[in-house]
Amino acid sequence: MTTALFAALLWLVVANVIAMLPSRDQHWRAAYALIAIGIPLVGWVTAQNGPVWGMLILAAGASVLRWPLIHFWRWLRSKNGTPAE
């Protein structure tokens, strides 16, 4: 296992532990930090292991951070003029 994959799996474990802890701001500060660390991490995994592993790690990260993605998707739809549901 490469160091990039090890770091990505460690990121996933840390993200899941953070999700189990109580938070007053619904984990948004932790989500911003995880996103800031996760984006370069996906690039590193892709550079070392190829696009298939990069897409797998991206999908795993998206499943952990699904609410920021849902809110981002809704924000994009509201900017296009399509009413959000």
Side-chain angles (χ1 to χ4, degrees):
M1 181 181 323
T2 64
T3 54
L5 281 177
F6 179 75
L9 293 177
L10 181 65
W11 182 93
L12 286 169
V13 169
V14 169
N16 282 299
V17 168
I18 289 172
M20 287 186 240
L21 299 175
S23 173
R24 288 182 183 222
D25 68 345
Q26 313 303 341
H27 301 288
W28 280 103
R29 283 183 289 172
Y32 294 140
L34 288 169
I35 291 168
I37 295 168
I39 290 173
L41 196 59
V42 169
W44 186 27
V45 168
T46 305
Q48 272 196 351
N49 300 301
V52 173
W53 279 104
M55 292 300 286
L56 288 172
I57 295 299
L58 180 67
S63 72
V64 171
L65 296 171
R66 63 189 168 276
W67 281 109
L69 287 175
I70 290 169
H71 286 289
F72 180 66
W73 179 254
R74 289 178 182 168
W75 178 77
L76 282 178
R77 287 186 59 187
S78 70
K79 294 295 179 187
N80 275 344
T82 308
E85 296 178 301

